[in-house]
Amino acid sequence: MSQTALCDEIMRLPVIDTHTHLVGDKLNAADFWEIADYFWLNQELQSAGYPADADQLSKEKRADSFVRAYHASRNTMMNRAFTAIMKDLYGISITDSESVFKADITVKQQSNDPDWAQNVADRLHVQRFIVNRSEHANFAHMRENALLIPRIDSWLPELAKNIADASDPNREAAYTLAKKFISEQLHSYQTMGCPGIMTTLPAFEANAHDVYNLSSVTGPDEIMMLLLHHICSELQVRGMFLQLFLGVERRWCNKSAAPVNDPLRIVKLYGLFERYSIPFELVVASELNNLDIVQAAWNFPNVHVGGMWWYNFRPSTYLQSMQYRLEALAPLKCSLIVSDARCIEWTYGKLLIVKKILARFLESQIAEGWISREVALNIAAEWLHGSAAKRYGLTDVKQ
């Protein structure tokens, strides 16, 4: 069995993209720069000399600066994904400023094609996309709308802050109001047909296994943990799941986030995993925590390992994380895909890279005699689609 043949089979497997920033009525990139200025590619280009304020330059200077930085960073992963987008979707190679102008015209033309987004999704067999805002879920001209998993970190930290800021006599009342608000929100999500919710969590010192009683000395992290317990209790009653995005912190500087490999980040949550029977899906952006979430999923049957997020989106971390998962967990416990895409074209570029990495990894495991070809394809099917489909209640989706 050649790697090319296995790769071809994996390319045909269906996919669920478990986290995107796609907007349902603006799926197609409006112009070349909407693709070229994608945050992750832009960061790599800036390391090669691309100006941070390139969008303020003249058309000619911007294109020239882009081309020079693009050629100087051809080794990076986002550059490879961008190159595939241009070549595979538009038939264009970026060589000079004129090719940038040509690409801009071509992208603008395709952006007006109502079938474009579905055709791009079909190239890698992406069957469903996940969004976190209700106004983004209606996917125009697509066979299926996005699945909505509401994001609650728009209001959860504010609830905790309101309680922490309240004076002692009013803290209990603020806590009661917060719990009422949470129950009402989760009820509305359930009524909308959402299978679960997601939230990010910054650094926290509280331990989910400890018992905290609200008082004048209860700290903000302890209050947050009290609210998380209430959320999990409500989710359990409603048969919903909790998706946790962890490992990105913004407290170290004003302009940039950072991946932080906190060795206690996951074990501090064990008290939630142990107490509540709801499914938990853990998505991390910090390399060392990839092993921690696999250990948590090994320890708790209701804990699942999610896709690779933020700084984890690199071949090295993918290969390492897949090794952890292969050795310890049944495939139905693991999802692999988090594109974080803001236009449909980037779902293609990033998922193409992931499928190629996955094929390379599974081929090496077959060669070592660890698994058979049949088992390899089953693993790939679950990691790309099946695991998320079961967790999100999409089991009617064809595989």
Side-chain angles (χ1 to χ4, degrees):
M1 183 69 181
S2 70
Q3 186 172 7
T4 301
L6 182 65
C7 188
D8 288 344
E9 292 204 53
I10 288 175
M11 288 297 170
R12 292 190 291 268
L13 290 175
V15 176
I16 294 175
D17 189 342
T18 66
H19 179 67
T20 76
H21 295 275
L22 296 173
V23 178
D25 59 351
K26 299 176 182 177
L27 296 172
N28 304 345
D31 57 23
F32 170 83
W33 297 108
E34 193 169 335
I35 302 172
D37 283 340
Y38 180 55
F39 172 78
W40 293 105
L41 175 63
N42 193 269
Q43 289 291 101
E44 294 178 1
L45 292 174
Q46 286 188 40
S47 73
Y50 191 54
D53 61 347
D55 59 339
Q56 303 299 314
L57 301 175
S58 68
K59 175 182 175 181
E60 291 74 16
K61 288 184 178 180
R62 184 182 189 184
D64 182 62
S65 296
F66 178 86
V67 170
R68 282 188 280 109
Y70 169 72
H71 287 303
S73 60
R74 289 300 295 265
N75 56 291
T76 67
M77 193 188 69
M78 291 299 169
N79 189 304
R80 293 177 61 187
F82 171 81
T83 299
I85 291 170
M86 289 294 111
K87 180 180 179 182
D88 297 355
L89 300 185
Y90 301 103
I92 293 174
S93 297
I94 301 301
T95 56
D96 52 23
S97 295
E98 286 303 315
S99 65
V100 169
F101 301 144
K102 177 184 176 182
D104 191 41
I105 293 171
T106 304
V107 173
K108 288 177 178 176
Q109 291 173 340
Q110 291 293 354
S111 71
N112 296 319
D113 180 356
D115 297 326
W116 177 251
Q118 188 63 65
N119 289 338
V120 172
D122 287 345
R123 283 176 174 253
L124 289 175
H125 304 276
V126 187
Q127 295 194 348
R128 294 298 289 271
F129 298 90
I130 309 304
V131 298
N132 303 124
R133 296 176 63 176
S134 59
E135 62 269 29
H136 295 170
N138 186 15
F139 272 23
H141 309 295
M142 297 281 278
R143 285 191 294 271
E144 300 279 357
N145 285 329
L147 179 68
L148 174 64
I149 300 178
R151 184 169 186 160
I152 69 168
D153 51 11
S154 60
W155 50 258
L156 179 58
E158 188 66 23
L159 292 181
K161 183 177 185 301
N162 289 341
I163 298 169
D165 289 347
S167 58
D168 187 30
N170 299 318
R171 271 196 162 193
E172 192 63 46
Y175 181 44
T176 299
L177 286 174
K179 290 193 293 183
K180 183 175 183 291
F181 179 85
I182 289 170
S183 300
E184 291 172 347
Q185 286 294 109
L186 297 186
H187 174 73
S188 70
Y189 299 153
Q190 183 183 32
T191 302
M192 293 165 62
C194 304
I197 59 173
M198 71 84 72
T199 189
T200 59
L201 284 180
F204 56 94
E205 297 301 326
N207 181 350
H209 187 63
D210 291 339
V211 177
Y212 300 114
N213 296 308
L214 189 65
S215 70
S216 60
V217 296
T218 308
D221 288 352
E222 295 168 354
I223 292 171
M224 176 63 77
M225 195 58 69
L226 286 170
L227 294 179
L228 284 174
H229 272 284
H230 182 69
I231 287 169
C232 291
S233 177
E234 286 285 320
L235 291 173
Q236 184 162 289
V237 170
R238 303 177 188 284
M240 300 169 71
F241 67 82
L242 178 59
Q243 189 182 54
L244 293 171
F245 280 59
L246 309 160
V248 173
E249 296 184 13
R250 301 179 181 275
R251 57 184 174 140
W252 302 103
C253 62
N254 293 327
K255 294 184 178 180
S256 182
V260 179
N261 291 295
D262 180 353
L264 297 179
R265 174 178 287 120
I266 307 304
V267 294
K268 290 175 185 175
L269 299 172
Y270 271 30
L272 298 179
F273 308 153
E274 182 178 52
R275 181 168 179 177
Y276 305 100
S277 60
I278 64 172
F280 292 88
E281 182 177 339
L282 306 182
V283 180
V284 293
S286 43
E287 182 178 359
L288 298 185
N289 287 141
N290 286 324
L291 178 57
D292 297 329
I293 61 175
V294 169
Q295 302 288 50
W298 191 89
N299 282 327
F300 299 97
N302 57 324
V303 174
H304 303 258
V305 178
M308 309 290 283
W309 183 49
W310 271 59
Y311 302 94
N312 264 334
F313 199 97
R314 296 190 180 110
S316 56
T317 49
Y318 264 99
L319 291 169
Q320 181 188 59
S321 182
M322 287 189 289
Q323 188 71 48
Y324 294 153
R325 298 172 188 214
L326 179 76
E327 294 172 1
L329 301 174
L332 58 84
K333 294 266 283 180
C334 307
S335 293
L336 198 61
I337 302 297
V338 166
S339 76
D340 233 355
R342 296 180 180 272
C343 61
I344 198 71
E345 292 81 4
W346 268 105
T347 68
Y348 176 83
K350 297 181 81 171
L351 270 56
L352 179 69
I353 294 287
V354 175
K355 281 195 165 184
K356 287 184 175 181
I357 296 169
L358 178 58
R360 170 188 166 193
F361 171 75
L362 291 175
E363 178 68 19
S364 70
Q365 300 303 309
I366 294 171
E368 292 175 7
W370 187 274
I371 54 175
S372 67
R373 173 182 174 276
E374 179 183 4
V375 170
L377 289 173
N378 173 258
I379 291 169
E382 290 289 346
W383 286 2
L384 294 172
H385 180 279
S387 175
K390 295 179 181 69
R391 195 155 50 256
Y392 303 162
L394 298 174
T395 50
D396 59 324
V397 177
K398 293 181 180 179
Q399 293 195 48

